[in-house]
Amino acid sequence: MSEAKVQPVRVLYTAEATATGGRAGHAKTSDGRLEVDLSVPREMGGDGGPGTNPEQLFAAGYAACFQSAMGGVSRRMKLSIEGSTVTARVGIGPIGGGAYGLTVELRVHLPSIPDRATAEELVRAAHQVCPYSNATRGNVDVALTVV
């Protein structure tokens, strides 16, 4: 039995990007706001060139989105997340049969919330509403770490 996928009721925004040359190529968005060269990391057998890679782009997007989700949750909880940071660590590796999978750890620093239990509650609640978390749920184990 397959798990029902979570879909938006109404699409508010659609990002569009085109890549050429794969992991050692180039990518750009249709509106021209992002244009990057891509390089394969040495750890994956590449030249470790100056370009970014899909995992770095995913990590940056997930970290930003998760922090925004925390902002929404914190307002409902009447908490401040001033000075907070979210660091997303995205790993990639073989899962067998020639396929690859991802790992994700979100390291959340909440200096304005000294109570660890409250900080962890906020992070768990943000994980329920963040679009990236909802997209990965059931596909990628996401470790949540309050630092």
Side-chain angles (χ1 to χ4, degrees):
M1 186 174 200
S2 67
E3 180 181 330
K5 300 299 178 191
V6 178
Q7 296 291 322
V9 174
R10 174 174 55 106
V11 175
L12 301 174
Y13 170 76
T14 299
E16 181 179 311
T18 301
T20 56
R23 287 182 164 273
H26 188 81
K28 64 181 177 179
T29 58
S30 59
D31 64 5
R33 291 183 183 186
L34 177 69
E35 188 164 349
V36 294
D37 289 322
L38 303 168
S39 298
V40 179
R42 289 190 201 290
E43 297 86 346
M44 293 179 64
D47 66 1
T52 188
N53 60 65
E55 291 70 38
Q56 288 177 330
L57 294 169
F58 184 69
Y62 202 158
C65 189
F66 196 83
Q67 190 165 33
S68 289
M70 286 191 331
V73 169
S74 70
R75 283 188 292 280
R76 286 194 297 276
M77 294 176 71
K78 298 191 182 346
L79 297 169
S80 169
I81 62 165
E82 186 173 340
S84 68
T85 59
V86 176
T87 301
R89 297 173 47 89
V90 175
I92 184 171
I95 59 173
Y100 283 76
L102 299 175
T103 63
V104 176
E105 179 188 14
L106 298 177
R107 299 180 57 80
V108 181
H109 179 59
L110 291 160
S112 61
I113 304 176
D115 175 29
R116 185 172 189 84
T118 302
E120 289 174 349
E121 179 185 351
L122 184 142
V123 168
R124 280 192 302 273
H127 189 49
Q128 295 305 306
V129 299
C130 174
Y132 277 64
S133 294
N134 287 324
T136 58
R137 190 168 288 111
N139 300 306
V140 176
D141 287 332
V142 177
L144 303 172
T145 305
V146 175
V147 295

